[in-house]
Every structure is written in structure tokens, then in C-alpha cells.
Amino acid sequence: MTPDLVATLRPLLAAEASAEAHASGAEPGDLEQAVWLRLLERLATEGPPRDPYGWLRAAVRAEARRARRTHRAERPYAIEPADAAEREPEQLVLAAARHRALRTAVRRLPGRCPRLIEALLSPDDPTYREIAGELGISQGSLGPERSRCLGCLRRLLTPEVAVR
């Protein structure tokens, strides 16, 4: 492709792609890119088109039709993609290792922090009132206690996170 052909076709391609993009559901830049690729493929096999302007207009319209067909055929997921629930074995192993490291650090916390953090991490999702009753402390002191415990946990986990 010669630089003068690119310089000559660039403004027309930008205008044509902008005009066709909205109706096709594609971005103008995507249409431009597809047409440039189509032109490169043509130059490699057939050489430059005899009527570059006419060829360009036809190519933009063809790419817009292709984009419209693709847009009509695509359907959104009814639910979130499956990868959210079905993880790869590597992801499962890494998640299990992170959970083990967290549980180990929680057990090393001072005072009643291990029991408090375990209660906060519980899958039962207890309320502050339930946690306070289980630990035998007032509900009002639970927030400050939680903050102190999380600060300690953060300091314990910092070396492990930094190593990775």
C-alpha cells in the first residue's frame, strides 16, 4: 500500500465509517480497521482497485452489513458468565492458599481478636448484636475492637503479601 493511497483514502474512509457505524451497531474505528485490513488483503492478491473511492465505499458498506448481522446474532447472557461460578483448578488452589494464609494469620492475633475475626468471616453472617453476645462484649465496643483487630491482621499479613 502506498503512502499516497492511504493519505488519499483516509478522510473518505473516516467519513464513510462514521456514516455507517451508527446503523450497524459498530464503532467507526472498528469499521475503518476492517476496511484497511480488507484493502491490505486485496493488495496482496489482486493489487490496487481500479476505482479506489468506489471500492472503499462498497467495502465500508459490506463491513457495516457484516457488523449488523453479527450484532443481530449476538445475544446477551441471561445470567452472569459461567466463569464466575466455575473456576479453573489453578484459581481454586490459589484461592484456597489465600484462605489458609488468612486463617493462619487470624489464629496468631492477640486477645479476643481471633474469635472476633472468625465471627466476622463466618458464612452464617451474624449481626453485630449476635457477635457481641457471643463474645460477651457490648455492641458499641465491637466497632473499635474490630478496627484494632483488623489493624493487627493487616500488619501480620503485610510481610506475606510483600513476599509474593
Side-chain angles (χ1 to χ4, degrees):
M1 186 163 18
T2 62
D4 58 327
L5 182 61
V6 171
T8 304
L9 294 179
R10 180 176 283 140
L12 179 61
L13 177 55
E16 291 286 329
S18 292
E20 292 288 334
H22 180 69
S24 69
E27 294 290 322
D30 292 342
L31 287 177
E32 287 182 47
Q33 194 172 44
V35 171
W36 284 126
L37 180 61
R38 193 181 269 216
L39 180 60
L40 284 173
E41 290 169 346
R42 179 189 166 89
L43 290 174
T45 58
E46 304 171 36
R50 290 186 188 156
D51 176 20
Y53 301 112
W55 179 90
L56 185 113
R57 286 186 188 100
V60 169
R61 287 187 181 87
E63 286 301 323
R65 281 192 304 274
R66 185 195 55 74
R68 260 192 306 278
R69 281 192 307 270
T70 302
H71 187 68
R72 277 195 303 256
E74 291 176 345
R75 297 286 177 246
Y77 286 116
I79 57 171
E80 287 298 315
D83 68 344
E86 298 175 22
R87 295 184 179 171
E88 297 291 322
E90 179 183 6
Q91 293 171 328
L92 293 172
V93 168
L94 291 173
R98 285 191 302 272
H99 287 121
R100 275 193 307 275
L102 176 63
R103 298 293 181 178
T104 301
V106 166
R107 283 192 298 274
R108 293 182 2 224
L109 288 171
R112 56 182 170 211
C113 286
R115 288 182 55 211
L116 173 61
I117 298 297
E118 285 293 338
L120 291 170
L121 293 173
S122 170
D124 299 332
D125 196 24
T127 64
Y128 265 31
R129 176 177 287 159
E130 294 168 339
I131 294 171
E134 181 182 321
L135 296 177
I137 61 175
S138 72
Q139 188 175 345
S141 65
L142 193 58
E145 184 84 20
R146 179 188 63 100
S147 294
R148 282 192 297 277
C149 293
L150 288 176
C152 289
L153 183 61
R154 194 174 298 114
R155 286 189 295 279
L156 283 175
L157 288 175
T158 299
E160 292 182 24
V161 172
V163 169
R164 293 181 189 174

